[in-house]
Every structure is written in C-alpha cells, then in structure tokens.
Amino acid sequence: MAENSEFCDYRSPLATRYASKEMRFNFSDQNKFSTWRKLWIYLAKAEMNLGLAITPDQIAEMEAHINDIDFEAAAKEEKATRHDVMAHVHVFGNQCPKAAPIIHLGATSCYVGDNTDLIILRDGFDILLPKLGAVIRRLAKFALDNRSIPTLGFTHLQPAQLTTVGKRATLWLHDLLMDERAIRRARNDLRFRGVKGTTGTQASFLQLFNGDGEKVKKLDELVTKMAGFEKRYPVTGQTYSRKVDLECLNALSSLGATVHKICSDIRILANMKEIEEPFESTQIGSSAMPYKRNPMRSERCCSIARHLMTLVNNTLQTAANQWMERTLDDSANRRITLPEAYLSADVILMTLQNITEGLVVYPKVIARHIAQELPFMTAENVIMAMVKAGGDRQVCHEKIRVLSHEAGAQVKQHGKDNDLIERIRRDKYFEPILGQLDALLEPSTFVGRAPEQVLEFLQEEVYPVLANYEGKDVSPVELSI
C-alpha cells in the first residue's frame, strides 16, 4: 500500500488531537505573518501621519494583501537569505510594488517579531479566560448542589473528620480562582514593545524624523494604540524583557498544578466509586477488561498538566540567559515553549470543562464508606454524652478504647464491618445513653459549617468573578481520547 504523505511527518498531538481550533489558529503561521503585515501597516500609517513621505495609496495597497500570503515564496526567500523577516518583507513588497520602498521603514526584526508575540500572548489569554470561567461556573453549581452531602474527609489520605462533597469542590474552586486572578493579571499587565529600534534606543526613528524626539515618541504611542494596547514598555533592548514570557507561563504553569490536583482527587474518588467523570455508553475503558470505567479525561488532564508545569523552566532559563541587549538563543526555544504552554492550557481547560459538567456522585457508596469509619469518629460524642449522664470521663474513655480496638480487629484482621456501635449497645455501662446513639451517629452532625461555608464562599468569592464572564460561556466540545 502506498504511503499517505500527510502522515509521514511528525505533527504535535497538541495541534492534531487536543487543542481547540481557535487556539491553534492563534499560533498559526497565517495569524503570525498576517499580524506582521498589520504591524507594517500600523507603522506606515503612523509615519505618514507624522509627516513622512508615505501615501494613502501605498497604505491601501498593503491593506489589500494582509491575508494572501505566498508561503512558498516566503520559504524560498528565507532559504536564500536565512532571515525570516526579510523574506516576508520581500514577498510583501513583491505583492505591493508601490509600498515596497516604505515597508518596515526604520524598524528592526523584533518590531514585527516581538510585537506579534505580545499580541498572540494577549489573544491566547483572551481564549483561555472564558474557558476557565466556564469551568468555575460548572464547578460552582456542583458545589452548590452537593453542599450538604456528608463524605469522609481525608488527611494523609487516611479517613478524617467528615466534610461534604460540595465543600471539597470549593477547595478546587479556590485554587481556580487564584489561577483566574493570576491569568487575568498577566493578561492585563502585558504591554506593547512598540517601535524601539535595534537596541531599544529608537536611534533609527530619530534619524527618520531629523532628530525630532517628540515625533518618535508620538510614533511609539500611535502604533501602540493601533495594535490595541493601552501601554507600551518604556524601555527595551532589541527585544522586550523575556521576564514577560516568564510571567505569562508562571500563571499557566500554576493553572497546570491546580488542574493536576483536581483531577488527581477525581481519580482517587473514582477508585473509591464515590464520584465518576462522564462515561459515554459506547466508551471502552480497557481492551482486555470490558468492565472497566477508566477516568481517562482526568488522566489526560494530569498528563498534559505535567507537561505544562515543566515549560516554565524554559522561560526561566531564557530570561536568565539574555546577554546585554539581546541574544538569539531565545528564538528556537520560544517558538516551541510559548505555543505549547498555551495549547496545553487550552487542552486541560476544555477537558476539565467536560469533566465538571458531567460529574456523577454516588451518595449510597459515600454513605457506606462513612458507615465503616463513623463509629470511630463518634467516640468523643459518646464520651461527652456519658459525662452528661453522670459517667466518669476516664472510665468511659478506657471503655471506648478497648471496644474500638476490638472493632478495629474485626475490620482489619477478619474483613468484617465495623461493629463498634453494636459492642457499645451490648455493654451495660452505656445503658444511660443508648437512646441517643442514633442521633450521635447522624453524619450531618459531623460536617460542621461545611454547607454554610459553601454558600458563603460562592456568594462572596465565586459569583463576583463569574460576573466578568456573563454571556461568555463555552459550549461543550467533543474530546479525542
């Protein structure tokens, strides 16, 4: 059989299998190079407005060719010149013969390269934030609906005092709110590099404007506004500081840690059969074990989140290794790291959205697990009741201690149910409080203020954040396994 050439080259699974169409486009060559052309137009417009010999016809010619990029011609030029920006300058100039003399006028490569990166980073955040808002909204509803269902709490992954299913979800929500704040802050902190020249001094533009520094400053302001930014970095080298990338990836890597924790919890709860992620009727859990219902979405989140968490180390190294006004050893690394971080974040948010809109809770399984552990947890309540009935605390404590060890042996050594309460009922010492035992064992009395905490947290912390995303929900998506 003949080979299909489409499948003979490596293609990133992030692009072909997982990430959304809008995020893939954001980091596409089409978007990148058409943005370069827009930036050349912004520069030419601003230079024309400030008195340089540029005509409206030249601007119109460039605007007519923003999107029709001849990628083959650009690749041929780059192979000859070994310079991607000049290759595209030549190709754009060939399409726009009137404008060719003024394309890229006074600029350096980083004018289009860095400014485009900043636009793409900003737009990437704009894709991610509504998806994060959608996850928070779904998880908030889950917390609200399940705020009063008692469940075993765990410390050291050992059964501890009861909490509720909804209260546990607020712990997940709390971390997601921190991520929303960090990502929104990183997005809003982004500025434009603007027109700064080869080493950031704007010397070439000062020459263009015959030493008029105010015009050069105005040029920077005009181009910044045209690109949709309120502020620009006041000082740069040839590039904007690579700590900017670090701030962006810090926020995304932190999101990865949150999603990994949430989905690890869900995987553990799925093992206990207390909570289950969505599982389609035709879905196969195992090729060998037909009965299995693997938490594959949560596993995927953990898998890609681990990759996302490692990427911030690249930006740390790049920021640390920039020499003087810039060095080119950032380029190849950033081409890989920045897209992969945003695509990875996009994947885990879409997958987590799918999980949170279809989480299934099994209250009877949860109740059974509580019943196995709650008798031990009632010990203090039983002691207090006996003291109120006239008993001696130390005597009662010793009685409970002996009976608890006997019941524990039944569970651990013989695999039987916890029979501590039955042992208490049979012991005449506890006759004064036998009528209270059922009330003392009611799980809802062991959850403290958990239901109220859920309501307060949602009202005070979650809903004000969700108000920023009204009308920006993301529709459910089909996810590849």
PDB file of all heavy atoms in Angstrom, residues 374-386:
ATOM      1  N   LEU A 374     -17.395   6.023  60.602  1.00  0.00           N
ATOM      2  CA  LEU A 374     -18.012   6.951  61.542  1.00  0.00           C
ATOM      3  C   LEU A 374     -18.047   6.453  62.983  1.00  0.00           C
ATOM      4  O   LEU A 374     -17.883   7.261  63.910  1.00  0.00           O
ATOM      5  CB  LEU A 374     -19.430   7.297  61.065  1.00  0.00           C
ATOM      6  CG  LEU A 374     -20.108   8.459  61.781  1.00  0.00           C
ATOM      7  CD1 LEU A 374     -19.278   9.729  61.615  1.00  0.00           C
ATOM      8  CD2 LEU A 374     -21.514   8.680  61.239  1.00  0.00           C
ATOM      9  N   PRO A 375     -18.269   5.155  63.209  1.00  0.00           N
ATOM     10  CA  PRO A 375     -18.279   4.719  64.620  1.00  0.00           C
ATOM     11  C   PRO A 375     -17.032   5.140  65.389  1.00  0.00           C
ATOM     12  O   PRO A 375     -17.130   5.514  66.564  1.00  0.00           O
ATOM     13  CB  PRO A 375     -18.381   3.192  64.502  1.00  0.00           C
ATOM     14  CG  PRO A 375     -19.133   2.975  63.233  1.00  0.00           C
ATOM     15  CD  PRO A 375     -18.625   4.052  62.313  1.00  0.00           C
ATOM     16  N   PHE A 376     -15.881   5.075  64.763  1.00  0.00           N
ATOM     17  CA  PHE A 376     -14.666   5.501  65.455  1.00  0.00           C
ATOM     18  C   PHE A 376     -14.709   7.004  65.742  1.00  0.00           C
ATOM     19  O   PHE A 376     -14.219   7.474  66.767  1.00  0.00           O
ATOM     20  CB  PHE A 376     -13.430   5.179  64.614  1.00  0.00           C
ATOM     21  CG  PHE A 376     -13.180   3.694  64.438  1.00  0.00           C
ATOM     22  CD1 PHE A 376     -12.838   3.178  63.203  1.00  0.00           C
ATOM     23  CD2 PHE A 376     -13.295   2.825  65.509  1.00  0.00           C
ATOM     24  CE1 PHE A 376     -12.609   1.823  63.038  1.00  0.00           C
ATOM     25  CE2 PHE A 376     -13.067   1.465  65.353  1.00  0.00           C
ATOM     26  CZ  PHE A 376     -12.724   0.958  64.112  1.00  0.00           C
ATOM     27  N   MET A 377     -15.283   7.760  64.792  1.00  0.00           N
ATOM     28  CA  MET A 377     -15.303   9.212  64.939  1.00  0.00           C
ATOM     29  C   MET A 377     -16.318   9.687  65.979  1.00  0.00           C
ATOM     30  O   MET A 377     -16.257  10.836  66.422  1.00  0.00           O
ATOM     31  CB  MET A 377     -15.614   9.857  63.583  1.00  0.00           C
ATOM     32  CG  MET A 377     -14.571   9.558  62.520  1.00  0.00           C
ATOM     33  SD  MET A 377     -15.006  10.295  60.922  1.00  0.00           S
ATOM     34  CE  MET A 377     -13.829   9.447  59.862  1.00  0.00           C
ATOM     35  N   THR A 378     -17.266   8.838  66.351  1.00  0.00           N
ATOM     36  CA  THR A 378     -18.274   9.229  67.346  1.00  0.00           C
ATOM     37  C   THR A 378     -17.767   9.086  68.768  1.00  0.00           C
ATOM     38  O   THR A 378     -18.485   9.438  69.711  1.00  0.00           O
ATOM     39  CB  THR A 378     -19.538   8.357  67.209  1.00  0.00           C
ATOM     40  OG1 THR A 378     -19.194   6.985  67.435  1.00  0.00           O
ATOM     41  CG2 THR A 378     -20.155   8.519  65.839  1.00  0.00           C
ATOM     42  N   ALA A 379     -16.556   8.588  68.938  1.00  0.00           N
ATOM     43  CA  ALA A 379     -16.064   8.284  70.285  1.00  0.00           C
ATOM     44  C   ALA A 379     -16.180   9.488  71.217  1.00  0.00           C
ATOM     45  O   ALA A 379     -16.678   9.374  72.352  1.00  0.00           O
ATOM     46  CB  ALA A 379     -14.624   7.806  70.209  1.00  0.00           C
ATOM     47  N   GLU A 380     -15.749  10.657  70.759  1.00  0.00           N
ATOM     48  CA  GLU A 380     -15.776  11.836  71.623  1.00  0.00           C
ATOM     49  C   GLU A 380     -17.208  12.230  71.961  1.00  0.00           C
ATOM     50  O   GLU A 380     -17.502  12.623  73.094  1.00  0.00           O
ATOM     51  CB  GLU A 380     -15.051  12.998  70.940  1.00  0.00           C
ATOM     52  CG  GLU A 380     -14.878  14.231  71.813  1.00  0.00           C
ATOM     53  CD  GLU A 380     -13.995  13.974  73.042  1.00  0.00           C
ATOM     54  OE1 GLU A 380     -13.176  13.031  73.018  1.00  0.00           O
ATOM     55  OE2 GLU A 380     -14.138  14.714  74.031  1.00  0.00           O
ATOM     56  N   ASN A 381     -18.134  12.095  70.983  1.00  0.00           N
ATOM     57  CA  ASN A 381     -19.532  12.417  71.247  1.00  0.00           C
ATOM     58  C   ASN A 381     -20.127  11.470  72.281  1.00  0.00           C
ATOM     59  O   ASN A 381     -20.903  11.885  73.148  1.00  0.00           O
ATOM     60  CB  ASN A 381     -20.351  12.335  69.955  1.00  0.00           C
ATOM     61  CG  ASN A 381     -20.068  13.495  69.027  1.00  0.00           C
ATOM     62  OD1 ASN A 381     -19.212  14.324  69.304  1.00  0.00           O
ATOM     63  ND2 ASN A 381     -20.787  13.555  67.914  1.00  0.00           N
ATOM     64  N   VAL A 382     -19.777  10.186  72.179  1.00  0.00           N
ATOM     65  CA  VAL A 382     -20.266   9.200  73.146  1.00  0.00           C
ATOM     66  C   VAL A 382     -19.733   9.521  74.536  1.00  0.00           C
ATOM     67  O   VAL A 382     -20.463   9.471  75.544  1.00  0.00           O
ATOM     68  CB  VAL A 382     -19.860   7.777  72.719  1.00  0.00           C
ATOM     69  CG1 VAL A 382     -20.184   6.764  73.826  1.00  0.00           C
ATOM     70  CG2 VAL A 382     -20.558   7.380  71.427  1.00  0.00           C
ATOM     71  N   ILE A 383     -18.465   9.848  74.623  1.00  0.00           N
ATOM     72  CA  ILE A 383     -17.862  10.181  75.919  1.00  0.00           C
ATOM     73  C   ILE A 383     -18.572  11.386  76.539  1.00  0.00           C
ATOM     74  O   ILE A 383     -18.918  11.393  77.724  1.00  0.00           O
ATOM     75  CB  ILE A 383     -16.357  10.456  75.760  1.00  0.00           C
ATOM     76  CG1 ILE A 383     -15.618   9.155  75.393  1.00  0.00           C
ATOM     77  CG2 ILE A 383     -15.772  11.055  77.039  1.00  0.00           C
ATOM     78  CD1 ILE A 383     -14.163   9.359  75.016  1.00  0.00           C
ATOM     79  N   MET A 384     -18.805  12.437  75.724  1.00  0.00           N
ATOM     80  CA  MET A 384     -19.459  13.637  76.244  1.00  0.00           C
ATOM     81  C   MET A 384     -20.873  13.330  76.720  1.00  0.00           C
ATOM     82  O   MET A 384     -21.325  13.847  77.757  1.00  0.00           O
ATOM     83  CB  MET A 384     -19.496  14.727  75.167  1.00  0.00           C
ATOM     84  CG  MET A 384     -18.132  15.322  74.820  1.00  0.00           C
ATOM     85  SD  MET A 384     -17.320  16.137  76.231  1.00  0.00           S
ATOM     86  CE  MET A 384     -16.149  14.861  76.731  1.00  0.00           C
ATOM     87  N   ALA A 385     -21.588  12.486  75.956  1.00  0.00           N
ATOM     88  CA  ALA A 385     -22.946  12.118  76.363  1.00  0.00           C
ATOM     89  C   ALA A 385     -22.941  11.354  77.679  1.00  0.00           C
ATOM     90  O   ALA A 385     -23.808  11.574  78.546  1.00  0.00           O
ATOM     91  CB  ALA A 385     -23.609  11.286  75.257  1.00  0.00           C
ATOM     92  N   MET A 386     -21.970  10.477  77.848  1.00  0.00           N
ATOM     93  CA  MET A 386     -21.879   9.707  79.098  1.00  0.00           C
ATOM     94  C   MET A 386     -21.543  10.613  80.281  1.00  0.00           C
ATOM     95  O   MET A 386     -22.076  10.452  81.383  1.00  0.00           O
ATOM     96  CB  MET A 386     -20.815   8.614  78.966  1.00  0.00           C
ATOM     97  CG  MET A 386     -21.290   7.377  78.247  1.00  0.00           C
ATOM     98  SD  MET A 386     -22.668   6.543  79.095  1.00  0.00           S
ATOM     99  CE  MET A 386     -21.920   6.122  80.678  1.00  0.00           C
TER     100      MET A 386
END
